[in-house]
Amino acid sequence: MLKDEKGNIKPFSRFRQEITSLYQTYNVRYLEAEYNFAAASAQMAAKWSDFEQDGDQYNLQFRTSNDEKVRASHAALHNTTLPPSDPFWDNYIPPLDWNCRCTVVQVLKNKYPLTNSAQAIRNGEAATTRIDKNGVNRAAMFRFNPGKQKVIFPQNHPYFKVQQRVKDVIDSLLTSYSEKAKAAKGLVSWYKQNLPTTKIGKFDARRFEVKAAMLDQPVVVNANFYNELIYKYRNDKRYILKLEIAKKAHELIGVADFVSQEDARHGNNRFNVYTTSHNGLLVIMKVKITKDGNFLHHLVIK
């Protein structure tokens, strides 16, 4: 529910309205803190995925918003600079508390001196220590790395203290997500191995070029097509099947029948619509007609 129809994070005002329509007595102050935490945690997980691809080629630097609202314990971590492999990042990556605005960025290795790791960990412990009247550290749950652990909220967050019935539903959703993620990873691996290299002027391009009905120029099937299917249609009930059929898209468009032409909702581009059958399914494909060429844009199965 954090995302809108286009996959963007909804403004909090809209998110709050939709949540309170389900449960009117929800604590709105808590809701905003959880909204901010979920968004920040997810964004940091995505950044961590990019950091991992570069390994220790760059160092990472902890940065606060550097203003009067920054907590003193977080300010002590400002400019902490360590390689991604340092154990500090296992537990002390933002957000480190509710409404934490800190972040982590990549920096060149020779631009900033390295921080003492042991001291950084001590500062991280201080930033995530808030003892309540019962002697419990209420901030210890923020000691995790959402990118490494692949979670948005830490495992000891109260959200995870749920009834078995709810847990079963969550487990089911996680299984579905895992299968979808595996299918997405498989399609990326497939197109990286199978897209031919073609010369476009002075440059190399990875793409299939296929002759299709009612078009003088070939249809281009490239990484953009596959990535669009992966990232925009995760809620499609046939998502996994769609990604599998996408591996045949360059063959199917070559034998598909032209059905109609339609205007794009935005701009002056047009779409040619094609249909064909595959293993008893109706496959509908749209080719975007632009001044730069014809590009396979979308695939639907029925």
Side-chain angles (χ1 to χ4, degrees), residues 43-44 47-48 50-51 54-55 57-65 77-84 88-89 92-94 101-109 111-112:
Q43 289 164 349
M44 186 53 64
K47 289 183 72 172
W48 185 262
D50 293 337
F51 296 158
D54 292 329
Q57 181 179 351
Y58 300 94
N59 288 329
L60 301 182
Q61 188 173 85
F62 189 106
R63 292 182 181 177
T64 69
S65 295
L77 290 166
H78 186 61
N79 285 341
T80 294
T81 305
L82 292 163
F88 170 81
W89 303 113
Y92 306 113
I93 195 162
R101 298 171 297 142
C102 301
T103 190
V104 174
V105 298
Q106 283 183 318
V107 295
L108 295 173
K109 278 185 167 292
K111 190 171 182 179
Y112 299 92

Side-chain angles (χ1 to χ4, degrees), residues 9-163:
I9 295 178
K10 296 173 185 173
F12 177 69
S13 57
R14 177 180 170 187
F15 179 73
R16 178 179 60 190
Q17 184 179 25
E18 293 177 356
I19 290 294
T20 52
S21 70
L22 299 175
Y23 188 64
Q24 294 182 353
T25 58
Y26 197 93
N27 186 313
V28 175
R29 183 181 170 207
Y30 286 177
L31 179 65
E32 185 167 14
E34 290 163 351
Y35 164 91
N36 291 336
F37 187 91
S41 188
Q43 289 164 349
M44 186 53 64
K47 289 183 72 172
W48 185 262
S49 178
D50 293 337
F51 296 158
E52 283 188 322
Q53 292 182 30
D54 292 329
D56 280 357
Q57 181 179 351
Y58 300 94
N59 288 329
L60 301 182
Q61 188 173 85
F62 189 106
R63 292 182 181 177
T64 69
S65 295
N66 204 24
D67 58 25
E68 68 281 358
K69 295 181 180 179
V70 175
R71 299 167 176 87
S73 61
H74 291 203
L77 290 166
H78 186 61
N79 285 341
T80 294
T81 305
L82 292 163
S85 58
D86 192 280
F88 170 81
W89 303 113
D90 291 346
N91 294 308
Y92 306 113
I93 195 162
L96 293 182
D97 208 330
W98 301 118
N99 295 319
C100 173
R101 298 171 297 142
C102 301
T103 190
V104 174
V105 298
Q106 283 183 318
V107 295
L108 295 173
K109 278 185 167 292
N110 59 358
K111 190 171 182 179
Y112 299 92
L114 283 179
T115 303
N116 179 278
S117 178
Q119 181 59 52
I121 290 173
R122 286 193 290 271
N123 290 342
E125 289 175 349
T128 53
T129 298
R130 189 170 64 252
I131 307 300
D132 67 12
K133 62 182 181 180
N134 298 316
V136 176
N137 181 6
R138 307 296 292 180
M141 70 178 183
F142 297 107
R143 296 174 184 173
F144 78 112
N145 183 318
K148 278 191 171 185
Q149 298 180 25
K150 302 294 189 295
V151 294
I152 298 302
F153 284 90
Q155 290 297 331
N156 52 349
H157 186 283
Y159 282 167
F160 293 92
K161 297 176 182 178
V162 294
Q163 297 175 0

